Amino acid sequence: MAERPPADDRVGRMEFMLTLRRRGISNAAVLRAMDEVPREHFVPNAYYDQAYADQALPIACGQTISQPYVVAYMTEQLDVHPQHRVLEVGTGSGYQAAILSRLAREVVTVERYFTLAETARARLETLGMPNVEVLADDGLTGVAERGPYDRILVTAAAEEIPEALVASLAEGGMMILPLGPHGGAQDLVKLRKTTDGVVREDLIGVRFVPLLAGKAREL
Ligand code: SAH
């Protein structure tokens, strides 16, 4: 079997950026963030050589780090501005939070697995991302009450729109979430909170791990 190039291989990283551009990511700030955050730090050692392939990869606790294209797409759609306070539900590896931290004033990210939250917190600290706060908690309850947030990104699939999160969205705010049956076909949905109510727009088809209520019982 041919050896794969190492994760810090310049050709691999160049292909990674080309793939994002080819697939339609055009926002310069989003592309810069994708270029600057080292994804190899967020994948398990066993997958180190696949860090710059455009695919989701397994992480601890049976969860996944999302596909880079989907991370870039969601971030671009979220239209994050430098003064924004952003909530992410589903820290996982911390990769998406790291991307958001390059674009927002403040990122609060919440993860129901203690182990994942702790690992992500250490990682983000090592990489020098002080505007990210990682919480080990259920993203559907207490954290929502610490709003309002200008932007909310949910990175696990909800079967119904979580009303607590809609409530914690600032007026004029926006939320993006995968919506649909667990393990089935889901749509990425954009919700805008306007003075006339919540406006929904369906984006692309996606597949995410389930959004589950409550803190995880195992670590
Ligand atoms: N954004 C992540 C990918 C996350 S996968 C990354 O960049 O790596 C989705 C994560 O959501 C999983 O780790 C899962 O444990 C978490 N999750 C699911 N339901 C949750 C909830 N109610 N509150 C907080 N985290 C949740």
Side-chain angles (χ1 to χ4, degrees):
M1 212 166 75
E3 253 185 60
R4 287 170 180 276
D8 58 3
D9 178 87
R10 293 178 70 173
V11 175
R13 291 194 71 153
M14 220 184 289
E15 275 172 10
F16 172 83
M17 293 307 296
L18 278 174
T19 301
L20 296 179
R21 284 174 181 276
R22 204 180 304 124
R23 294 198 64 179
I25 306 300
S26 62
N27 181 288
V30 173
L31 286 167
R32 199 178 316 119
M34 295 297 295
D35 197 22
E36 286 173 358
V37 174
R39 193 168 184 261
E40 72 270 21
H41 288 270
F42 295 85
V43 303
N45 288 343
Y47 295 97
Y48 193 77
D49 58 358
Q50 291 170 55
Y52 290 95
D54 191 24
Q55 60 192 33
L57 292 169
I59 57 172
C61 306
Q63 305 304 312
T64 53
I65 173 173
S66 310
Q67 181 190 348
Y69 167 69
V70 174
V71 170
Y73 179 80
M74 291 194 298
T75 309
E76 187 169 62
Q77 289 293 322
L78 202 60
D79 190 26
V80 180
H81 293 206
Q83 74 276 19
H84 280 166
R85 184 159 186 259
V86 181
L87 170 67
E88 181 197 21
V89 177
T91 311
S93 68
Y95 180 68
Q96 174 74 71
I99 298 292
L100 291 170
S101 82
R102 311 303 296 242
L103 305 166
R105 175 170 60 85
E106 189 188 340
V107 178
V108 177
T109 180
V110 58
E111 169 57 54
R112 65 190 290 277
Y113 280 97
F114 180 80
T115 305
L116 290 176
E118 285 302 307
T119 310
R121 184 183 296 130
R123 218 172 246 156
L124 294 164
E125 206 175 294
T126 305
L127 292 172
M129 293 169 177
N131 61 336
V132 187
E133 185 184 4
V134 183
L135 304 170
D137 208 344
D138 175 7
L140 297 172
T141 53
V143 185
E145 287 158 19
R146 286 180 43 188
Y149 301 96
D150 303 296
R151 298 287 185 268
I152 298 178
L153 182 58
V154 183
T155 63
E159 292 192 294
E160 286 166 24
I161 292 173
E163 289 306 326
L165 291 180
V166 177
S168 69
L169 207 51
E171 189 77 47
M174 189 203 289
M175 168 156 83
I176 291 186
L177 77 161
L179 194 63
H182 293 166
Q186 303 145 3
D187 286 316
L188 204 60
V189 171
K190 183 192 276 192
L191 301 175
R192 274 200 215 84
K193 199 169 191 176
T194 72
T195 41
D196 297 331
V198 176
V199 180
R200 172 177 169 163
E201 184 188 341
D202 287 15
L203 304 169
I204 56 173
V206 286
R207 241 171 205 279
F208 276 83
V209 296
L211 183 73
L212 300 170
K215 273 173 98 163
R217 247 186 254 136
E218 63 279 46
L219 288 178

mmCIF file of all heavy atoms in Angstrom, residues 59 63-66 71 88-97 110-113 116 137-140 155-156 209-214, ligand 1:
data_model
loop_
_atom_site.group_PDB
_atom_site.id
_atom_site.type_symbol
_atom_site.label_atom_id
_atom_site.label_comp_id
_atom_site.label_asym_id
_atom_site.label_seq_id
_atom_site.Cartn_x
_atom_site.Cartn_y
_atom_site.Cartn_z
ATOM 1 N N ILE A 59 -14.308 10.294 16.420
ATOM 2 C CA ILE A 59 -13.563 10.785 17.585
ATOM 3 C C ILE A 59 -14.018 9.961 18.798
ATOM 4 O O ILE A 59 -14.798 9.018 18.631
ATOM 5 C CB ILE A 59 -13.773 12.310 17.810
ATOM 6 C CG1 ILE A 59 -15.255 12.666 17.966
ATOM 7 C CG2 ILE A 59 -13.158 13.119 16.675
ATOM 8 C CD1 ILE A 59 -15.519 14.116 18.375
ATOM 9 N N GLN A 63 -18.518 9.664 18.712
ATOM 10 C CA GLN A 63 -18.965 10.864 17.993
ATOM 11 C C GLN A 63 -18.083 11.087 16.758
ATOM 12 O O GLN A 63 -17.213 10.281 16.460
ATOM 13 C CB GLN A 63 -18.944 12.063 18.935
ATOM 14 C CG GLN A 63 -19.743 11.841 20.210
ATOM 15 C CD GLN A 63 -21.194 11.460 19.939
ATOM 16 O OE1 GLN A 63 -21.874 12.095 19.139
ATOM 17 N NE2 GLN A 63 -21.670 10.412 20.611
ATOM 18 N N THR A 64 -18.309 12.183 16.045
ATOM 19 C CA THR A 64 -17.519 12.445 14.835
ATOM 20 C C THR A 64 -17.088 13.912 14.774
ATOM 21 O O THR A 64 -17.763 14.784 15.308
ATOM 22 C CB THR A 64 -18.329 12.151 13.542
ATOM 23 O OG1 THR A 64 -19.563 12.858 13.606
ATOM 24 C CG2 THR A 64 -18.594 10.683 13.355
ATOM 25 N N ILE A 65 -15.954 14.134 14.131
ATOM 26 C CA ILE A 65 -15.562 15.489 13.731
ATOM 27 C C ILE A 65 -16.147 15.659 12.328
ATOM 28 O O ILE A 65 -15.993 14.783 11.469
ATOM 29 C CB ILE A 65 -14.031 15.702 13.765
ATOM 30 C CG1 ILE A 65 -13.630 17.070 13.189
ATOM 31 C CG2 ILE A 65 -13.256 14.587 13.080
ATOM 32 C CD1 ILE A 65 -12.136 17.400 13.367
ATOM 33 N N SER A 66 -16.859 16.767 12.109
ATOM 34 C CA SER A 66 -17.582 16.945 10.850
ATOM 35 C C SER A 66 -16.643 17.071 9.649
ATOM 36 O O SER A 66 -15.473 17.419 9.792
ATOM 37 C CB SER A 66 -18.451 18.195 10.920
ATOM 38 O OG SER A 66 -19.233 18.206 12.088
ATOM 39 N N VAL A 71 -18.281 21.994 7.633
ATOM 40 C CA VAL A 71 -17.872 23.002 8.617
ATOM 41 C C VAL A 71 -17.782 24.374 7.938
ATOM 42 O O VAL A 71 -18.324 25.371 8.426
ATOM 43 C CB VAL A 71 -16.512 22.623 9.261
ATOM 44 C CG1 VAL A 71 -15.961 23.769 10.108
ATOM 45 C CG2 VAL A 71 -16.659 21.362 10.104
ATOM 46 N N GLU A 88 -22.162 27.389 20.203
ATOM 47 C CA GLU A 88 -22.145 26.127 19.465
ATOM 48 C C GLU A 88 -22.648 25.031 20.395
ATOM 49 O O GLU A 88 -22.159 24.890 21.515
ATOM 50 C CB GLU A 88 -20.734 25.766 18.996
ATOM 51 C CG GLU A 88 -20.743 24.451 18.205
ATOM 52 C CD GLU A 88 -19.379 23.786 18.040
ATOM 53 O OE1 GLU A 88 -18.462 24.076 18.821
ATOM 54 O OE2 GLU A 88 -19.251 22.955 17.131
ATOM 55 N N VAL A 89 -23.594 24.247 19.931
ATOM 56 C CA VAL A 89 -24.049 23.080 20.692
ATOM 57 C C VAL A 89 -23.447 21.848 20.025
ATOM 58 O O VAL A 89 -23.730 21.572 18.855
ATOM 59 C CB VAL A 89 -25.590 22.998 20.731
ATOM 60 C CG1 VAL A 89 -26.033 21.737 21.477
ATOM 61 C CG2 VAL A 89 -26.168 24.241 21.396
ATOM 62 N N GLY A 90 -22.600 21.125 20.757
ATOM 63 C CA GLY A 90 -21.925 19.944 20.217
ATOM 64 C C GLY A 90 -20.461 20.233 19.916
ATOM 65 O O GLY A 90 -20.034 20.280 18.755
ATOM 66 N N THR A 91 -19.660 20.407 20.986
ATOM 67 C CA THR A 91 -18.236 20.739 20.823
ATOM 68 C C THR A 91 -17.472 19.658 20.070
ATOM 69 O O THR A 91 -16.612 19.974 19.238
ATOM 70 C CB THR A 91 -17.569 20.926 22.211
ATOM 71 O OG1 THR A 91 -18.376 21.787 22.997
ATOM 72 C CG2 THR A 91 -16.154 21.452 22.101
ATOM 73 N N GLY A 92 -17.762 18.391 20.401
ATOM 74 C CA GLY A 92 -17.026 17.278 19.789
ATOM 75 C C GLY A 92 -15.536 17.460 19.963
ATOM 76 O O GLY A 92 -15.032 17.572 21.074
ATOM 77 N N SER A 93 -14.820 17.552 18.848
ATOM 78 C CA SER A 93 -13.358 17.711 18.876
ATOM 79 C C SER A 93 -12.932 19.143 19.206
ATOM 80 O O SER A 93 -11.784 19.384 19.551
ATOM 81 C CB SER A 93 -12.795 17.363 17.502
ATOM 82 O OG SER A 93 -13.203 18.348 16.554
ATOM 83 N N GLY A 94 -13.835 20.109 19.009
ATOM 84 C CA GLY A 94 -13.493 21.521 19.187
ATOM 85 C C GLY A 94 -13.097 22.199 17.882
ATOM 86 O O GLY A 94 -12.823 23.405 17.873
ATOM 87 N N TYR A 95 -13.099 21.457 16.785
ATOM 88 C CA TYR A 95 -12.648 22.020 15.503
ATOM 89 C C TYR A 95 -13.550 23.159 15.019
ATOM 90 O O TYR A 95 -13.074 24.251 14.680
ATOM 91 C CB TYR A 95 -12.551 20.912 14.450
ATOM 92 C CG TYR A 95 -12.088 21.391 13.101
ATOM 93 C CD1 TYR A 95 -10.785 21.845 12.917
ATOM 94 C CD2 TYR A 95 -12.951 21.406 12.012
ATOM 95 C CE1 TYR A 95 -10.353 22.296 11.675
ATOM 96 C CE2 TYR A 95 -12.523 21.852 10.763
ATOM 97 C CZ TYR A 95 -11.226 22.289 10.599
ATOM 98 O OH TYR A 95 -10.806 22.737 9.378
ATOM 99 N N GLN A 96 -14.842 22.914 15.025
ATOM 100 C CA GLN A 96 -15.776 23.955 14.570
ATOM 101 C C GLN A 96 -15.687 25.188 15.470
ATOM 102 O O GLN A 96 -15.734 26.324 14.988
ATOM 103 C CB GLN A 96 -17.209 23.387 14.569
ATOM 104 C CG GLN A 96 -18.296 24.384 14.259
ATOM 105 C CD GLN A 96 -18.370 24.785 12.795
ATOM 106 O OE1 GLN A 96 -18.760 24.005 11.952
ATOM 107 N NE2 GLN A 96 -17.979 26.023 12.495
ATOM 108 N N ALA A 97 -15.524 24.967 16.770
ATOM 109 C CA ALA A 97 -15.388 26.092 17.709
ATOM 110 C C ALA A 97 -14.132 26.898 17.384
ATOM 111 O O ALA A 97 -14.134 28.136 17.456
ATOM 112 C CB ALA A 97 -15.339 25.575 19.143
ATOM 113 N N VAL A 110 -20.722 23.975 23.936
ATOM 114 C CA VAL A 110 -21.170 23.063 24.981
ATOM 115 C C VAL A 110 -21.227 21.633 24.466
ATOM 116 O O VAL A 110 -21.628 21.397 23.321
ATOM 117 C CB VAL A 110 -22.519 23.543 25.578
ATOM 118 C CG1 VAL A 110 -23.589 23.666 24.517
ATOM 119 C CG2 VAL A 110 -22.980 22.649 26.713
ATOM 120 N N GLU A 111 -20.784 20.696 25.322
ATOM 121 C CA GLU A 111 -20.685 19.288 24.940
ATOM 122 C C GLU A 111 -21.204 18.422 26.081
ATOM 123 O O GLU A 111 -20.853 18.638 27.230
ATOM 124 C CB GLU A 111 -19.203 18.962 24.641
ATOM 125 C CG GLU A 111 -18.879 17.496 24.483
ATOM 126 C CD GLU A 111 -19.697 16.815 23.402
ATOM 127 O OE1 GLU A 111 -19.709 17.288 22.259
ATOM 128 O OE2 GLU A 111 -20.350 15.791 23.725
ATOM 129 N N ARG A 112 -22.046 17.435 25.744
ATOM 130 C CA ARG A 112 -22.641 16.617 26.799
ATOM 131 C C ARG A 112 -21.712 15.525 27.325
ATOM 132 O O ARG A 112 -21.979 14.943 28.368
ATOM 133 C CB ARG A 112 -23.996 16.037 26.342
ATOM 134 C CG ARG A 112 -23.919 15.070 25.201
ATOM 135 C CD ARG A 112 -25.305 14.745 24.670
ATOM 136 N NE ARG A 112 -26.099 13.937 25.579
ATOM 137 C CZ ARG A 112 -26.025 12.608 25.678
ATOM 138 N NH1 ARG A 112 -25.174 11.928 24.932
ATOM 139 N NH2 ARG A 112 -26.803 11.956 26.520
ATOM 140 N N TYR A 113 -20.617 15.229 26.599
ATOM 141 C CA TYR A 113 -19.611 14.286 27.115
ATOM 142 C C TYR A 113 -18.484 15.062 27.792
ATOM 143 O O TYR A 113 -17.795 15.865 27.139
ATOM 144 C CB TYR A 113 -19.006 13.443 25.992
ATOM 145 C CG TYR A 113 -19.867 12.298 25.559
ATOM 146 C CD1 TYR A 113 -20.690 12.418 24.452
ATOM 147 C CD2 TYR A 113 -19.865 11.104 26.258
ATOM 148 C CE1 TYR A 113 -21.498 11.367 24.041
ATOM 149 C CE2 TYR A 113 -20.672 10.043 25.864
ATOM 150 C CZ TYR A 113 -21.482 10.186 24.758
ATOM 151 O OH TYR A 113 -22.271 9.152 24.353
ATOM 152 N N LEU A 116 -14.962 14.637 26.069
ATOM 153 C CA LEU A 116 -14.786 15.434 24.845
ATOM 154 C C LEU A 116 -14.598 16.905 25.192
ATOM 155 O O LEU A 116 -13.729 17.582 24.624
ATOM 156 C CB LEU A 116 -15.992 15.260 23.907
ATOM 157 C CG LEU A 116 -16.140 13.894 23.220
ATOM 158 C CD1 LEU A 116 -17.426 13.857 22.408
ATOM 159 C CD2 LEU A 116 -14.939 13.599 22.328
ATOM 160 N N ASP A 137 -21.937 20.167 29.456
ATOM 161 C CA ASP A 137 -23.331 20.305 29.895
ATOM 162 C C ASP A 137 -24.266 19.934 28.739
ATOM 163 O O ASP A 137 -23.820 19.687 27.624
ATOM 164 C CB ASP A 137 -23.585 21.760 30.319
ATOM 165 C CG ASP A 137 -24.685 21.877 31.373
ATOM 166 O OD1 ASP A 137 -25.443 20.899 31.554
ATOM 167 O OD2 ASP A 137 -24.779 22.937 32.001
ATOM 168 N N ASP A 138 -25.545 19.936 29.046
ATOM 169 C CA ASP A 138 -26.564 19.736 28.023
ATOM 170 C C ASP A 138 -26.832 21.081 27.350
ATOM 171 O O ASP A 138 -27.266 22.026 28.018
ATOM 172 C CB ASP A 138 -27.838 19.192 28.676
ATOM 173 C CG ASP A 138 -28.991 19.063 27.695
ATOM 174 O OD1 ASP A 138 -28.774 19.276 26.483
ATOM 175 O OD2 ASP A 138 -30.107 18.746 28.140
ATOM 176 N N GLY A 139 -26.562 21.159 26.076
ATOM 177 C CA GLY A 139 -26.732 22.413 25.345
ATOM 178 C C GLY A 139 -28.169 22.855 25.185
ATOM 179 O O GLY A 139 -28.440 23.949 24.685
ATOM 180 N N LEU A 140 -29.103 22.019 25.582
ATOM 181 C CA LEU A 140 -30.510 22.370 25.377
ATOM 182 C C LEU A 140 -31.117 23.056 26.587
ATOM 183 O O LEU A 140 -32.272 23.470 26.556
ATOM 184 C CB LEU A 140 -31.311 21.101 25.047
ATOM 185 C CG LEU A 140 -30.893 20.424 23.743
ATOM 186 C CD1 LEU A 140 -31.581 19.079 23.586
ATOM 187 C CD2 LEU A 140 -31.210 21.328 22.572
ATOM 188 N N THR A 155 -24.417 21.346 16.028
ATOM 189 C CA THR A 155 -23.676 20.409 15.156
ATOM 190 C C THR A 155 -24.051 18.956 15.452
ATOM 191 O O THR A 155 -23.269 18.052 15.234
ATOM 192 C CB THR A 155 -22.152 20.625 15.259
ATOM 193 O OG1 THR A 155 -21.731 20.352 16.601
ATOM 194 C CG2 THR A 155 -21.767 22.039 14.892
ATOM 195 N N ALA A 156 -25.272 18.751 15.958
ATOM 196 C CA ALA A 156 -25.846 17.413 16.113
ATOM 197 C C ALA A 156 -27.295 17.526 15.653
ATOM 198 O O ALA A 156 -27.914 18.588 15.788
ATOM 199 C CB ALA A 156 -25.760 16.959 17.566
ATOM 200 N N VAL A 209 -24.563 13.150 13.805
ATOM 201 C CA VAL A 209 -24.912 12.311 14.954
ATOM 202 C C VAL A 209 -26.062 12.995 15.700
ATOM 203 O O VAL A 209 -26.268 14.199 15.572
ATOM 204 C CB VAL A 209 -23.695 12.104 15.907
ATOM 205 C CG1 VAL A 209 -22.581 11.333 15.224
ATOM 206 C CG2 VAL A 209 -23.167 13.426 16.454
ATOM 207 N N PRO A 210 -26.836 12.225 16.479
ATOM 208 C CA PRO A 210 -28.029 12.806 17.107
ATOM 209 C C PRO A 210 -27.749 13.815 18.223
ATOM 210 O O PRO A 210 -26.786 13.681 18.979
ATOM 211 C CB PRO A 210 -28.760 11.589 17.679
ATOM 212 C CG PRO A 210 -27.849 10.457 17.621
ATOM 213 C CD PRO A 210 -26.751 10.780 16.677
ATOM 214 N N LEU A 211 -28.620 14.806 18.296
ATOM 215 C CA LEU A 211 -28.678 15.731 19.427
ATOM 216 C C LEU A 211 -29.500 15.028 20.504
ATOM 217 O O LEU A 211 -30.644 14.647 20.260
ATOM 218 C CB LEU A 211 -29.362 17.031 18.991
ATOM 219 C CG LEU A 211 -29.471 18.151 20.007
ATOM 220 C CD1 LEU A 211 -28.108 18.796 20.244
ATOM 221 C CD2 LEU A 211 -30.462 19.205 19.551
ATOM 222 N N LEU A 212 -28.906 14.814 21.661
ATOM 223 C CA LEU A 212 -29.581 14.075 22.729
ATOM 224 C C LEU A 212 -29.725 14.954 23.963
ATOM 225 O O LEU A 212 -28.799 15.689 24.313
ATOM 226 C CB LEU A 212 -28.779 12.812 23.074
ATOM 227 C CG LEU A 212 -28.574 11.822 21.922
ATOM 228 C CD1 LEU A 212 -27.577 10.743 22.318
ATOM 229 C CD2 LEU A 212 -29.902 11.205 21.490
ATOM 230 N N ALA A 213 -30.876 14.864 24.620
ATOM 231 C CA ALA A 213 -31.107 15.675 25.816
ATOM 232 C C ALA A 213 -30.334 15.108 27.000
ATOM 233 O O ALA A 213 -30.105 13.905 27.092
ATOM 234 C CB ALA A 213 -32.597 15.713 26.118
ATOM 235 N N GLY A 214 -29.893 15.979 27.882
ATOM 236 C CA GLY A 214 -29.234 15.562 29.129
ATOM 237 C C GLY A 214 -27.745 15.387 28.970
ATOM 238 O O GLY A 214 -27.239 15.185 27.860
HETATM 239 N N1 SAH B 1 -18.670 20.335 16.145
HETATM 240 C C1 SAH B 1 -17.937 19.102 16.346
HETATM 241 C C2 SAH B 1 -18.661 17.887 15.800
HETATM 242 C C3 SAH B 1 -19.604 17.450 16.789
HETATM 243 S S1 SAH B 1 -20.428 15.915 16.649
HETATM 244 C C4 SAH B 1 -16.529 19.172 15.811
HETATM 245 O O1 SAH B 1 -16.173 20.184 15.194
HETATM 246 O O2 SAH B 1 -15.756 18.231 16.054
HETATM 247 C C5 SAH B 1 -21.805 16.385 17.656
HETATM 248 C C6 SAH B 1 -21.516 16.506 19.140
HETATM 249 O O3 SAH B 1 -22.711 16.957 19.764
HETATM 250 C C7 SAH B 1 -21.165 15.184 19.814
HETATM 251 O O4 SAH B 1 -19.919 15.271 20.436
HETATM 252 C C8 SAH B 1 -22.303 14.981 20.835
HETATM 253 O O5 SAH B 1 -21.879 14.371 22.028
HETATM 254 C C9 SAH B 1 -22.764 16.408 21.058
HETATM 255 N N2 SAH B 1 -24.121 16.566 21.583
HETATM 256 C C10 SAH B 1 -25.252 15.878 21.249
HETATM 257 N N3 SAH B 1 -26.299 16.327 21.959
HETATM 258 C C11 SAH B 1 -25.845 17.347 22.763
HETATM 259 C C12 SAH B 1 -26.471 18.206 23.729
HETATM 260 N N4 SAH B 1 -27.764 18.130 24.034
HETATM 261 N N5 SAH B 1 -25.688 19.124 24.348
HETATM 262 C C13 SAH B 1 -24.363 19.222 24.077
HETATM 263 N N6 SAH B 1 -23.731 18.421 23.183
HETATM 264 C C14 SAH B 1 -24.459 17.502 22.522
#
